[in-house]
Amino acid sequence: MSGAVPIRQGKRILAASVLVAVRLAADFPASFLSCLELVFLHIVKKIPEPFSDEWAIGLISGIGYCFAILAVHWLSKHLEPVFCGRRGKYGIVL
């Protein structure tokens, strides 16, 4: 049994991996869109030191949250056998 991970610990690792994946699904698109906006403002609109407006920041954050919701929806379908019938910490965390 060298190197084997117990089932309970494996499910905890899987739950932590799901949380990281959802967090990345929200943060990466928002950061990428922010960079695209700043590059657009600098190159196309010729603003030497561009700043994002508040409405643009809100819009980009909302798009990031939409990606997180889609990630949770997609993962919930594919990981249903793992979390099915679980109560307590797994449901609360996710």
Side-chain angles (χ1 to χ4, degrees), residues 26-56:
D27 290 345
F28 179 76
S31 298
F32 182 73
L33 290 173
S34 294
C35 289
L36 284 180
E37 180 204 9
L38 292 175
V39 167
F40 174 79
L41 291 174
H42 181 70
I43 293 176
V44 175
K45 292 201 172 186
K46 306 287 188 209
I47 300 173
E49 296 176 1
F51 290 98
S52 297
D53 293 329
E54 287 185 33
W55 66 268

